[in-house]
Amino acid sequence: MNTIPARLARAAQISASPEQARQRVFQLYRDWYRAAPEIISLYALPVSVPFFRHAIRRKFEENRYVTDQRVIDVLLLKGRQEYQETMNQWKMYDHVMGILLESRKGRPRSFLEKFYEGRDEDAVLPAATGV
Amino acid sequence: MSVLQACRQAFPKRAAGRVLVSARGLSTDSNAPAKATEEQSDIAPIPQRDVVTADVVSGAPAELRHRAVRIFQPTRSTTQSGSGKSHRWRIDWDILPGAGRWENPLMGWASSADYMQGTRLSFRSKEDAIHFAEKQGWDYYVAQPEIKRIPPKNYSENFLYKPNKLRIVRTK
């Protein structure tokens, strides 16, 4: 597949006002939303279009309450980069399935599992639980 | 009420050891909406500063927001007389309480699942370290360095004339 490197590339932009940042976020969300069927066929993902859109929505909802405009601009830039890399098929199957569609929350642990691990708080979890 | 109880109430446990500064008001907690809390008169409000909430875009795991970091100045190496490397300020993480460490069953090596256990950050000044921790939304506490007192050399004291006092003649 022939890709043009500059396709979908966007220069970093500083929003003039919170309202403009909001509009840019909406535009980015719309682009992701509309690209869902294309991405699924591009990478041959075994997920449905509503699930993909739900995962995208979850990613946006994670940063819903960010108010710092500079941070919003950085997030927008990162989102645009992700979008470009995804649409140009610069990612691989596992990048999309494991990172983009992955849910942050792990499986809920039962009382006994927490007891065996010796920890009950969910806030701080080590990368592994050892033996 | 006994005296002991009164003392316990006067000095809570936390205040004795370290003072934990919460940067939660400065960071962006993306999971909950900001809610207005009523101000109490005896609590001084945190002065608003312009701190970039870098934790949202830093890519660091969100779990780090729940762990306090220690800001400290390392002590001089015991085996060296020079004070090198003890002028910089460091940030490091406390060990994970409970789990995250185990002994390797084959070789007996100490293993850890804590991805922050070997990480330490170095800063030129305490203010730099505090600013960084606030930007990242980490709770921190500052371990104040001990003030070194270098006693004056008193070799010549051995040879001073003091009336009515025997001079100490030291031998090996």
Side-chain angles (χ1 to χ4, degrees):
Chain A
M1 182 181 163
N2 230 355
T3 57
I4 307 159
R7 181 180 169 237
L8 301 171
R10 293 278 189 287
Q13 194 182 338
I14 297 172
S15 302
S17 64
E19 193 51 44
Q20 195 199 349
R22 189 178 154 82
Q23 291 305 322
R24 288 177 63 206
V25 172
F26 286 161
Q27 194 55 51
L28 179 64
Y29 180 71
R30 273 190 208 112
D31 288 347
W32 274 109
Y33 194 88
R34 287 169 186 160
E38 192 185 334
I39 292 169
I40 287 173
S41 65
L42 200 61
Y43 293 89
L45 303 179
V47 297
S48 64
V49 173
F51 175 82
F52 189 91
R53 286 177 175 158
H54 173 71
I56 293 299
R57 178 65 183 249
R58 190 174 56 216
K59 290 276 176 195
F60 275 82
E61 291 283 342
E62 271 175 22
N63 298 317
R64 184 188 185 103
Y65 298 105
V66 176
T67 50
D68 195 333
Q69 202 172 311
R70 294 163 295 185
V71 176
I72 293 174
D73 285 343
V74 176
L75 284 172
L76 275 165
L77 175 68
K78 286 190 165 192
R80 279 287 166 204
Q81 284 174 346
E82 284 283 311
Y83 180 68
Q84 183 196 10
E85 288 166 13
T86 312
M87 292 297 286
N88 285 337
Q89 211 178 3
W90 294 345
K91 289 173 181 290
M92 302 198 76
Y93 174 84
D94 292 325
H95 294 143
V96 182
M97 283 304 287
I99 300 172
L100 201 61
L101 303 184
E102 166 226 37
S103 125
R104 289 283 302 173
K105 301 273 181 292
R107 190 174 54 89
R109 295 173 304 156
S110 67
F111 174 80
L112 266 186
E113 279 171 326
K114 289 177 184 174
F115 180 74
Y116 293 147
E117 284 175 22
R119 51 171 52 249
D120 53 0
E121 68 269 32
D122 290 319
V124 189
L125 279 179
T129 49
V131 180
Chain B
M1 183 190 288
S2 71
V3 179
L4 185 65
Q5 274 181 335
C7 285
R8 272 190 192 147
Q9 284 179 355
F11 300 102
K13 267 184 196 167
R14 248 294 172 47
R18 60 197 201 191
V19 180
L20 195 67
V21 180
S22 174
R24 196 59 65 233
L26 297 163
S27 76
T28 306
D29 196 357
S30 53
N31 292 328
K35 53 180 182 290
T37 52
E38 62 270 13
E39 294 293 326
Q40 290 181 2
S41 59
D42 53 344
I43 297 175
I46 302 171
Q48 285 297 315
R49 271 178 299 162
D50 191 27
V51 177
V52 178
T53 53
D55 55 331
V56 181
V57 288
S58 69
E63 285 81 15
L64 287 187
R65 290 182 200 158
H66 301 280
R67 298 181 62 174
V69 297
R70 177 168 65 122
I71 296 174
F72 68 105
Q73 215 174 11
T75 54
R76 174 180 66 83
S77 172
T78 322
T79 54
Q80 304 284 323
S81 54
S83 62
K85 296 183 181 175
S86 67
H87 303 291
R88 294 182 70 89
W89 286 80
R90 273 198 207 149
I91 283 185
D92 73 0
W93 280 260
D94 284 347
I95 54 170
L96 273 181
R101 285 169 292 155
W102 67 93
E103 199 174 83
N104 184 289
L106 180 64
M107 300 299 286
W109 292 331
S111 308
S112 171
D114 180 10
Y115 40 77
M116 277 313 189
Q117 65 110 16
T119 307
R120 64 187 190 200
L121 309 173
S122 182
F123 297 91
R124 285 217 182 115
S125 67
K126 181 171 66 173
E127 287 71 29
D128 283 355
I130 289 175
H131 180 65
F132 188 82
E134 283 176 351
K135 268 203 312 186
Q136 299 298 324
W138 297 335
D139 296 342
Y140 60 90
Y141 61 92
V142 181
Q144 296 296 338
E146 286 189 18
I147 295 165
K148 285 167 278 189
R149 183 188 163 270
I150 300 173
K153 290 195 166 66
N154 55 0
Y155 179 68
S156 59
E157 193 85 359
N158 294 340
F159 305 101
L160 275 182
Y161 172 72
K162 286 172 188 165
N164 307 324
K165 201 177 176 190
L166 276 176
R167 187 202 288 174
I168 305 168
V169 178
R170 291 203 173 88
T171 61
K172 281 194 177 176

